Amino acid sequence: MCDQLKDQYQLCQEIGRGRFGTVFRCFHPVSNDFFACKVIDKRLLTDSTDRECLQNEPKYMALLSPHPHILQIFDVFENDDYLSVVLELCEPLTLLDRIIDRPLLETEAASIMKQLLEAVAHCHRLGIAHRDIKPDNILFDSQNNLKVADFGSAERIGDGGTMTGVVGTPHYVAPEVLLGRQYNEKVDVWSSGVILYIMLSGVPPFYGESAEEIFEAVVRANLRFPSRNFRSVSSAAKDLMRKMMCRDASRRLSAEQALRHPWILSGGEASDLT
């Protein structure tokens, strides 16, 4: 662990653990505040992609901070063996924990989706695509404000407005990524649309028994709203999902356009578009 980190912060209890690192609650005596500290053991990073992700995350988070719906970064400490990143402290439950047991009311889902789209639109305005939007990467602070986290897969959008590389998570990745094509920042809108579908129905829109089957379903992009799951979901919500999960990325809404959809503007109260 970095000596500079230990000089400035007091590490408290462990609050999370991943493949390469551990997250601690930490205390900053000067400000009298608590933070989260992610400590990554660089000796475990044998893959060049993992090393690149390690360097990308603090770089992009610093560029995007501060924003009310993006996890804020406060300090970075590094030595030969460890990288330590001091972050805003959030509640232990992610969006995944919130939606795993029951679908949400449309008003609840609209509140969450508005905050998520505001974060995504901010990233895109600054030329950054997150590329791994999923419920596990969506946190909440003590005031219940949504915070997008985990920018390890993020990428700067190129001069031509496109990127390459197969990154993302089954269920949430956009079809153009899986097809190996060049793609743009609207992959984040697709992933956000998948989250909205799951929040309202309790099931993913594209599924299979294995990652391969899920990917095949995503590429087909045959979006349906089975009545057993969507009987009480409004036509306005379905319209937004169709436009966010449009297979043709050129016709897919941008994050800014999605924020202006009647269902979002009404806070989930718009039932139809007539």
Side-chain angles (χ1 to χ4, degrees):
M1 207 171 296
C2 308
D3 290 335
Q4 279 181 296
L5 170 67
K6 291 187 283 188
D7 290 343
Q8 295 184 40
Y9 294 88
Q10 298 169 7
L11 290 192
C12 307
Q13 71 270 31
E14 179 183 321
I15 56 176
R17 185 174 285 264
R19 252 195 326 158
F20 305 118
T22 307
V23 182
F24 297 92
R25 183 183 172 94
C26 68
F27 179 67
H28 188 236
V30 175
S31 65
N32 199 36
D33 276 333
F34 284 94
F35 298 89
C37 181
K38 183 190 287 189
V39 180
I40 298 160
D41 188 343
K42 297 196 296 185
R43 295 167 298 184
L44 300 176
L45 300 169
T46 56
D47 184 271
S48 60
T49 303
D50 291 332
R51 285 188 170 275
E52 187 178 354
C53 290
L54 176 73
Q55 298 302 324
N56 279 348
E57 182 165 35
K59 178 177 70 178
Y60 290 136
M61 290 185 79
L63 177 63
L64 295 166
S65 290
H67 185 274
H69 300 306
I70 291 175
L71 190 68
Q72 187 160 354
I73 185 170
F74 291 98
D75 266 319
V76 179
F77 304 96
E78 188 171 10
N79 61 21
D80 290 342
D81 296 330
Y82 291 96
L83 175 72
S84 302
V85 185
V86 179
L87 302 160
E88 187 175 0
L89 182 65
C90 284
E91 297 296 295
L93 298 183
T94 67
L95 178 59
L96 180 64
D97 299 310
R98 290 189 176 198
I99 64 178
I100 204 157
D101 292 328
R102 67 170 183 92
L104 302 185
L105 298 173
E106 290 196 36
T107 50
E108 293 177 288
S111 173
I112 289 171
M113 188 52 47
K114 181 175 186 289
Q115 295 174 74
L116 174 56
L117 287 168
E118 285 173 351
V120 169
H122 176 70
C123 293
H124 295 174
R125 280 194 296 271
L126 292 179
I128 304 296
H130 186 286
R131 302 201 301 175
D132 197 19
I133 297 286
K134 59 182 177 181
D136 327 38
N137 290 338
I138 297 172
L139 311 177
F140 297 90
D141 68 12
S142 58
Q143 305 301 310
N144 202 35
N145 297 304
L146 178 148
K147 304 284 180 174
V148 175
D150 198 344
F151 283 79
S153 297
E155 183 62 89
R156 190 179 290 278
I157 301 162
D159 291 339
T162 61
M163 297 160 282
T164 57
V166 179
V167 295
T169 302
H171 290 307
Y172 303 98
V173 65
E176 60 267 30
V177 176
L178 296 175
L179 290 167
R181 298 173 180 165
Q182 290 191 330
Y183 52 86
N184 62 22
E185 71 281 357
K186 287 185 181 180
V187 296
D188 291 340
V189 177
W190 174 283
S191 303
S192 302
V194 173
I195 290 175
L196 178 55
Y197 189 104
I198 294 172
M199 286 196 294
L200 292 175
S201 69
V203 296
F206 312 108
Y207 53 88
E209 296 299 319
S210 65
E212 187 176 296
E213 287 185 9
I214 295 167
F215 290 153
E216 288 173 357
V218 169
V219 168
R220 286 196 301 273
N222 184 15
L223 184 63
R224 294 181 176 178
F225 300 103
S227 58
R228 67 181 179 278
N229 303 111
F230 284 91
R231 186 173 293 107
S232 59
V233 175
S234 68
S235 61
K238 293 173 188 173
D239 180 75
L240 176 57
M241 286 183 276
R242 285 190 193 95
K243 290 173 177 173
M244 292 177 73
M245 287 182 282
C246 177
R247 191 175 188 273
D248 181 352
S250 68
R251 294 171 51 232
R252 190 181 307 156
L253 294 183
S254 67
E256 296 275 11
Q257 289 170 330
L259 279 166
R260 297 195 295 269
H261 189 277
W263 188 80
I264 294 290
L265 292 175
S266 72
E269 300 282 0
S271 58
D272 59 52
L273 302 176
T274 56

PDB file of all heavy atoms in Angstrom, residues 189-215:
ATOM      1  N   VAL A 189     -26.542   3.962 -24.670  1.00  0.00           N
ATOM      2  CA  VAL A 189     -28.001   4.140 -24.679  1.00  0.00           C
ATOM      3  C   VAL A 189     -28.683   2.775 -24.765  1.00  0.00           C
ATOM      4  O   VAL A 189     -29.674   2.515 -24.067  1.00  0.00           O
ATOM      5  CB  VAL A 189     -28.442   5.053 -25.843  1.00  0.00           C
ATOM      6  CG1 VAL A 189     -29.964   5.169 -25.897  1.00  0.00           C
ATOM      7  CG2 VAL A 189     -27.794   6.425 -25.714  1.00  0.00           C
ATOM      8  N   TRP A 190     -28.165   1.892 -25.621  1.00  0.00           N
ATOM      9  CA  TRP A 190     -28.691   0.529 -25.696  1.00  0.00           C
ATOM     10  C   TRP A 190     -28.647  -0.124 -24.316  1.00  0.00           C
ATOM     11  O   TRP A 190     -29.668  -0.664 -23.843  1.00  0.00           O
ATOM     12  CB  TRP A 190     -27.874  -0.300 -26.692  1.00  0.00           C
ATOM     13  CG  TRP A 190     -28.257  -1.755 -26.728  1.00  0.00           C
ATOM     14  CD1 TRP A 190     -27.912  -2.714 -25.812  1.00  0.00           C
ATOM     15  CD2 TRP A 190     -29.091  -2.408 -27.697  1.00  0.00           C
ATOM     16  NE1 TRP A 190     -28.470  -3.928 -26.164  1.00  0.00           N
ATOM     17  CE2 TRP A 190     -29.202  -3.767 -27.312  1.00  0.00           C
ATOM     18  CE3 TRP A 190     -29.734  -1.982 -28.850  1.00  0.00           C
ATOM     19  CZ2 TRP A 190     -29.926  -4.694 -28.040  1.00  0.00           C
ATOM     20  CZ3 TRP A 190     -30.465  -2.919 -29.589  1.00  0.00           C
ATOM     21  CH2 TRP A 190     -30.560  -4.248 -29.185  1.00  0.00           C
ATOM     22  N   SER A 191     -27.507  -0.090 -23.662  1.00  0.00           N
ATOM     23  CA  SER A 191     -27.361  -0.726 -22.345  1.00  0.00           C
ATOM     24  C   SER A 191     -28.329  -0.122 -21.329  1.00  0.00           C
ATOM     25  O   SER A 191     -28.908  -0.844 -20.507  1.00  0.00           O
ATOM     26  CB  SER A 191     -25.924  -0.564 -21.840  1.00  0.00           C
ATOM     27  OG  SER A 191     -24.996  -1.101 -22.754  1.00  0.00           O
ATOM     28  N   SER A 192     -28.517   1.190 -21.400  1.00  0.00           N
ATOM     29  CA  SER A 192     -29.463   1.854 -20.491  1.00  0.00           C
ATOM     30  C   SER A 192     -30.893   1.398 -20.774  1.00  0.00           C
ATOM     31  O   SER A 192     -31.701   1.231 -19.847  1.00  0.00           O
ATOM     32  CB  SER A 192     -29.348   3.377 -20.636  1.00  0.00           C
ATOM     33  OG  SER A 192     -28.034   3.818 -20.367  1.00  0.00           O
ATOM     34  N   GLY A 193     -31.206   1.181 -22.052  1.00  0.00           N
ATOM     35  CA  GLY A 193     -32.529   0.671 -22.414  1.00  0.00           C
ATOM     36  C   GLY A 193     -32.770  -0.727 -21.860  1.00  0.00           C
ATOM     37  O   GLY A 193     -33.883  -1.050 -21.411  1.00  0.00           O
ATOM     38  N   VAL A 194     -31.736  -1.556 -21.877  1.00  0.00           N
ATOM     39  CA  VAL A 194     -31.851  -2.903 -21.292  1.00  0.00           C
ATOM     40  C   VAL A 194     -32.147  -2.795 -19.797  1.00  0.00           C
ATOM     41  O   VAL A 194     -32.990  -3.524 -19.256  1.00  0.00           O
ATOM     42  CB  VAL A 194     -30.562  -3.710 -21.541  1.00  0.00           C
ATOM     43  CG1 VAL A 194     -30.611  -5.045 -20.793  1.00  0.00           C
ATOM     44  CG2 VAL A 194     -30.346  -3.943 -23.037  1.00  0.00           C
ATOM     45  N   ILE A 195     -31.475  -1.873 -19.127  1.00  0.00           N
ATOM     46  CA  ILE A 195     -31.717  -1.677 -17.691  1.00  0.00           C
ATOM     47  C   ILE A 195     -33.158  -1.250 -17.455  1.00  0.00           C
ATOM     48  O   ILE A 195     -33.822  -1.747 -16.534  1.00  0.00           O
ATOM     49  CB  ILE A 195     -30.731  -0.641 -17.125  1.00  0.00           C
ATOM     50  CG1 ILE A 195     -29.318  -1.223 -17.091  1.00  0.00           C
ATOM     51  CG2 ILE A 195     -31.151  -0.187 -15.725  1.00  0.00           C
ATOM     52  CD1 ILE A 195     -28.240  -0.240 -16.665  1.00  0.00           C
ATOM     53  N   LEU A 196     -33.677  -0.346 -18.277  1.00  0.00           N
ATOM     54  CA  LEU A 196     -35.064   0.090 -18.130  1.00  0.00           C
ATOM     55  C   LEU A 196     -36.020  -1.084 -18.301  1.00  0.00           C
ATOM     56  O   LEU A 196     -36.975  -1.245 -17.526  1.00  0.00           O
ATOM     57  CB  LEU A 196     -35.372   1.196 -19.147  1.00  0.00           C
ATOM     58  CG  LEU A 196     -36.804   1.718 -19.155  1.00  0.00           C
ATOM     59  CD1 LEU A 196     -37.230   2.198 -17.782  1.00  0.00           C
ATOM     60  CD2 LEU A 196     -36.958   2.837 -20.194  1.00  0.00           C
ATOM     61  N   TYR A 197     -35.766  -1.917 -19.291  1.00  0.00           N
ATOM     62  CA  TYR A 197     -36.606  -3.098 -19.537  1.00  0.00           C
ATOM     63  C   TYR A 197     -36.624  -3.994 -18.305  1.00  0.00           C
ATOM     64  O   TYR A 197     -37.690  -4.453 -17.864  1.00  0.00           O
ATOM     65  CB  TYR A 197     -36.042  -3.841 -20.745  1.00  0.00           C
ATOM     66  CG  TYR A 197     -36.890  -4.980 -21.284  1.00  0.00           C
ATOM     67  CD1 TYR A 197     -37.622  -4.823 -22.455  1.00  0.00           C
ATOM     68  CD2 TYR A 197     -36.930  -6.223 -20.650  1.00  0.00           C
ATOM     69  CE1 TYR A 197     -38.375  -5.874 -22.983  1.00  0.00           C
ATOM     70  CE2 TYR A 197     -37.671  -7.274 -21.159  1.00  0.00           C
ATOM     71  CZ  TYR A 197     -38.399  -7.097 -22.325  1.00  0.00           C
ATOM     72  OH  TYR A 197     -39.135  -8.153 -22.838  1.00  0.00           O
ATOM     73  N   ILE A 198     -35.455  -4.237 -17.729  1.00  0.00           N
ATOM     74  CA  ILE A 198     -35.372  -5.110 -16.549  1.00  0.00           C
ATOM     75  C   ILE A 198     -36.046  -4.459 -15.343  1.00  0.00           C
ATOM     76  O   ILE A 198     -36.733  -5.137 -14.563  1.00  0.00           O
ATOM     77  CB  ILE A 198     -33.896  -5.454 -16.246  1.00  0.00           C
ATOM     78  CG1 ILE A 198     -33.315  -6.305 -17.380  1.00  0.00           C
ATOM     79  CG2 ILE A 198     -33.767  -6.199 -14.920  1.00  0.00           C
ATOM     80  CD1 ILE A 198     -31.819  -6.540 -17.280  1.00  0.00           C
ATOM     81  N   MET A 199     -35.875  -3.144 -15.171  1.00  0.00           N
ATOM     82  CA  MET A 199     -36.510  -2.463 -14.037  1.00  0.00           C
ATOM     83  C   MET A 199     -38.026  -2.599 -14.083  1.00  0.00           C
ATOM     84  O   MET A 199     -38.678  -2.742 -13.044  1.00  0.00           O
ATOM     85  CB  MET A 199     -36.123  -0.980 -14.025  1.00  0.00           C
ATOM     86  CG  MET A 199     -34.707  -0.707 -13.564  1.00  0.00           C
ATOM     87  SD  MET A 199     -34.408   1.028 -13.107  1.00  0.00           S
ATOM     88  CE  MET A 199     -34.594   1.869 -14.691  1.00  0.00           C
ATOM     89  N   LEU A 200     -38.609  -2.555 -15.293  1.00  0.00           N
ATOM     90  CA  LEU A 200     -40.067  -2.567 -15.418  1.00  0.00           C
ATOM     91  C   LEU A 200     -40.662  -3.970 -15.479  1.00  0.00           C
ATOM     92  O   LEU A 200     -41.848  -4.145 -15.191  1.00  0.00           O
ATOM     93  CB  LEU A 200     -40.490  -1.776 -16.660  1.00  0.00           C
ATOM     94  CG  LEU A 200     -40.232  -0.265 -16.595  1.00  0.00           C
ATOM     95  CD1 LEU A 200     -40.587   0.390 -17.924  1.00  0.00           C
ATOM     96  CD2 LEU A 200     -41.016   0.374 -15.450  1.00  0.00           C
ATOM     97  N   SER A 201     -39.853  -4.960 -15.862  1.00  0.00           N
ATOM     98  CA  SER A 201     -40.412  -6.308 -16.060  1.00  0.00           C
ATOM     99  C   SER A 201     -39.819  -7.365 -15.141  1.00  0.00           C
ATOM    100  O   SER A 201     -40.426  -8.415 -14.924  1.00  0.00           O
ATOM    101  CB  SER A 201     -40.178  -6.757 -17.511  1.00  0.00           C
ATOM    102  OG  SER A 201     -38.788  -6.986 -17.743  1.00  0.00           O
ATOM    103  N   GLY A 202     -38.613  -7.126 -14.655  1.00  0.00           N
ATOM    104  CA  GLY A 202     -37.945  -8.131 -13.828  1.00  0.00           C
ATOM    105  C   GLY A 202     -37.186  -9.173 -14.617  1.00  0.00           C
ATOM    106  O   GLY A 202     -36.574 -10.078 -14.034  1.00  0.00           O
ATOM    107  N   VAL A 203     -37.186  -9.069 -15.951  1.00  0.00           N
ATOM    108  CA  VAL A 203     -36.479 -10.040 -16.805  1.00  0.00           C
ATOM    109  C   VAL A 203     -35.698  -9.272 -17.877  1.00  0.00           C
ATOM    110  O   VAL A 203     -36.076  -8.163 -18.251  1.00  0.00           O
ATOM    111  CB  VAL A 203     -37.445 -11.034 -17.485  1.00  0.00           C
ATOM    112  CG1 VAL A 203     -38.163 -11.889 -16.456  1.00  0.00           C
ATOM    113  CG2 VAL A 203     -38.459 -10.293 -18.355  1.00  0.00           C
ATOM    114  N   PRO A 204     -34.609  -9.856 -18.399  1.00  0.00           N
ATOM    115  CA  PRO A 204     -33.865  -9.189 -19.476  1.00  0.00           C
ATOM    116  C   PRO A 204     -34.575  -9.347 -20.816  1.00  0.00           C
ATOM    117  O   PRO A 204     -35.291 -10.325 -21.042  1.00  0.00           O
ATOM    118  CB  PRO A 204     -32.513  -9.916 -19.474  1.00  0.00           C
ATOM    119  CG  PRO A 204     -32.812 -11.274 -18.923  1.00  0.00           C
ATOM    120  CD  PRO A 204     -33.934 -11.097 -17.953  1.00  0.00           C
ATOM    121  N   PRO A 205     -34.373  -8.401 -21.745  1.00  0.00           N
ATOM    122  CA  PRO A 205     -35.031  -8.494 -23.050  1.00  0.00           C
ATOM    123  C   PRO A 205     -34.445  -9.567 -23.954  1.00  0.00           C
ATOM    124  O   PRO A 205     -35.142 -10.110 -24.814  1.00  0.00           O
ATOM    125  CB  PRO A 205     -34.820  -7.098 -23.656  1.00  0.00           C
ATOM    126  CG  PRO A 205     -33.605  -6.566 -22.974  1.00  0.00           C
ATOM    127  CD  PRO A 205     -33.614  -7.144 -21.596  1.00  0.00           C
ATOM    128  N   PHE A 206     -33.176  -9.876 -23.769  1.00  0.00           N
ATOM    129  CA  PHE A 206     -32.505 -10.871 -24.617  1.00  0.00           C
ATOM    130  C   PHE A 206     -31.794 -11.850 -23.686  1.00  0.00           C
ATOM    131  O   PHE A 206     -30.962 -11.447 -22.882  1.00  0.00           O
ATOM    132  CB  PHE A 206     -31.492 -10.178 -25.547  1.00  0.00           C
ATOM    133  CG  PHE A 206     -32.073  -8.974 -26.240  1.00  0.00           C
ATOM    134  CD1 PHE A 206     -31.679  -7.689 -25.877  1.00  0.00           C
ATOM    135  CD2 PHE A 206     -33.036  -9.120 -27.230  1.00  0.00           C
ATOM    136  CE1 PHE A 206     -32.226  -6.577 -26.494  1.00  0.00           C
ATOM    137  CE2 PHE A 206     -33.592  -8.008 -27.853  1.00  0.00           C
ATOM    138  CZ  PHE A 206     -33.187  -6.731 -27.477  1.00  0.00           C
ATOM    139  N   TYR A 207     -32.138 -13.135 -23.792  1.00  0.00           N
ATOM    140  CA  TYR A 207     -31.617 -14.082 -22.809  1.00  0.00           C
ATOM    141  C   TYR A 207     -31.276 -15.406 -23.464  1.00  0.00           C
ATOM    142  O   TYR A 207     -31.637 -15.698 -24.608  1.00  0.00           O
ATOM    143  CB  TYR A 207     -32.612 -14.290 -21.662  1.00  0.00           C
ATOM    144  CG  TYR A 207     -34.008 -14.663 -22.112  1.00  0.00           C
ATOM    145  CD1 TYR A 207     -34.362 -15.987 -22.318  1.00  0.00           C
ATOM    146  CD2 TYR A 207     -34.959 -13.675 -22.353  1.00  0.00           C
ATOM    147  CE1 TYR A 207     -35.637 -16.321 -22.750  1.00  0.00           C
ATOM    148  CE2 TYR A 207     -36.232 -13.996 -22.789  1.00  0.00           C
ATOM    149  CZ  TYR A 207     -36.567 -15.323 -22.979  1.00  0.00           C
ATOM    150  OH  TYR A 207     -37.822 -15.653 -23.418  1.00  0.00           O
ATOM    151  N   GLY A 208     -30.553 -16.211 -22.724  1.00  0.00           N
ATOM    152  CA  GLY A 208     -30.156 -17.534 -23.181  1.00  0.00           C
ATOM    153  C   GLY A 208     -29.549 -18.296 -22.020  1.00  0.00           C
ATOM    154  O   GLY A 208     -29.330 -17.736 -20.943  1.00  0.00           O
ATOM    155  N   GLU A 209     -29.261 -19.561 -22.236  1.00  0.00           N
ATOM    156  CA  GLU A 209     -28.709 -20.412 -21.181  1.00  0.00           C
ATOM    157  C   GLU A 209     -27.203 -20.237 -21.016  1.00  0.00           C
ATOM    158  O   GLU A 209     -26.621 -20.677 -20.036  1.00  0.00           O
ATOM    159  CB  GLU A 209     -29.023 -21.886 -21.476  1.00  0.00           C
ATOM    160  CG  GLU A 209     -30.502 -22.223 -21.472  1.00  0.00           C
ATOM    161  CD  GLU A 209     -31.148 -21.951 -20.118  1.00  0.00           C
ATOM    162  OE1 GLU A 209     -30.514 -22.268 -19.084  1.00  0.00           O
ATOM    163  OE2 GLU A 209     -32.270 -21.392 -20.107  1.00  0.00           O
ATOM    164  N   SER A 210     -26.550 -19.605 -21.991  1.00  0.00           N
ATOM    165  CA  SER A 210     -25.104 -19.394 -21.935  1.00  0.00           C
ATOM    166  C   SER A 210     -24.802 -18.014 -22.505  1.00  0.00           C
ATOM    167  O   SER A 210     -25.665 -17.378 -23.120  1.00  0.00           O
ATOM    168  CB  SER A 210     -24.370 -20.453 -22.758  1.00  0.00           C
ATOM    169  OG  SER A 210     -24.709 -20.314 -24.141  1.00  0.00           O
ATOM    170  N   ALA A 211     -23.562 -17.559 -22.301  1.00  0.00           N
ATOM    171  CA  ALA A 211     -23.167 -16.262 -22.858  1.00  0.00           C
ATOM    172  C   ALA A 211     -23.344 -16.255 -24.378  1.00  0.00           C
ATOM    173  O   ALA A 211     -23.805 -15.264 -24.952  1.00  0.00           O
ATOM    174  CB  ALA A 211     -21.725 -15.944 -22.479  1.00  0.00           C
ATOM    175  N   GLU A 212     -22.996 -17.366 -25.013  1.00  0.00           N
ATOM    176  CA  GLU A 212     -23.120 -17.453 -26.470  1.00  0.00           C
ATOM    177  C   GLU A 212     -24.566 -17.295 -26.913  1.00  0.00           C
ATOM    178  O   GLU A 212     -24.868 -16.564 -27.869  1.00  0.00           O
ATOM    179  CB  GLU A 212     -22.559 -18.796 -26.958  1.00  0.00           C
ATOM    180  CG  GLU A 212     -22.485 -18.917 -28.469  1.00  0.00           C
ATOM    181  CD  GLU A 212     -21.835 -20.219 -28.912  1.00  0.00           C
ATOM    182  OE1 GLU A 212     -20.642 -20.417 -28.608  1.00  0.00           O
ATOM    183  OE2 GLU A 212     -22.538 -21.031 -29.541  1.00  0.00           O
ATOM    184  N   GLU A 213     -25.497 -17.959 -26.223  1.00  0.00           N
ATOM    185  CA  GLU A 213     -26.920 -17.848 -26.571  1.00  0.00           C
ATOM    186  C   GLU A 213     -27.440 -16.433 -26.324  1.00  0.00           C
ATOM    187  O   GLU A 213     -28.254 -15.918 -27.097  1.00  0.00           O
ATOM    188  CB  GLU A 213     -27.735 -18.860 -25.759  1.00  0.00           C
ATOM    189  CG  GLU A 213     -27.555 -20.294 -26.222  1.00  0.00           C
ATOM    190  CD  GLU A 213     -28.465 -21.260 -25.464  1.00  0.00           C
ATOM    191  OE1 GLU A 213     -29.349 -20.782 -24.712  1.00  0.00           O
ATOM    192  OE2 GLU A 213     -28.278 -22.476 -25.623  1.00  0.00           O
ATOM    193  N   ILE A 214     -26.969 -15.812 -25.240  1.00  0.00           N
ATOM    194  CA  ILE A 214     -27.375 -14.432 -24.960  1.00  0.00           C
ATOM    195  C   ILE A 214     -26.895 -13.520 -26.080  1.00  0.00           C
ATOM    196  O   ILE A 214     -27.646 -12.688 -26.603  1.00  0.00           O
ATOM    197  CB  ILE A 214     -26.817 -13.954 -23.603  1.00  0.00           C
ATOM    198  CG1 ILE A 214     -27.430 -14.754 -22.456  1.00  0.00           C
ATOM    199  CG2 ILE A 214     -27.103 -12.456 -23.408  1.00  0.00           C
ATOM    200  CD1 ILE A 214     -26.719 -14.575 -21.127  1.00  0.00           C
ATOM    201  N   PHE A 215     -25.633 -13.685 -26.501  1.00  0.00           N
ATOM    202  CA  PHE A 215     -25.085 -12.847 -27.566  1.00  0.00           C
ATOM    203  C   PHE A 215     -25.867 -13.028 -28.858  1.00  0.00           C
ATOM    204  O   PHE A 215     -26.134 -12.059 -29.576  1.00  0.00           O
ATOM    205  CB  PHE A 215     -23.606 -13.167 -27.791  1.00  0.00           C
ATOM    206  CG  PHE A 215     -22.702 -12.734 -26.660  1.00  0.00           C
ATOM    207  CD1 PHE A 215     -21.508 -13.394 -26.424  1.00  0.00           C
ATOM    208  CD2 PHE A 215     -23.046 -11.665 -25.839  1.00  0.00           C
ATOM    209  CE1 PHE A 215     -20.665 -13.001 -25.395  1.00  0.00           C
ATOM    210  CE2 PHE A 215     -22.222 -11.264 -24.794  1.00  0.00           C
ATOM    211  CZ  PHE A 215     -21.019 -11.920 -24.579  1.00  0.00           C
TER     212      PHE A 215
END
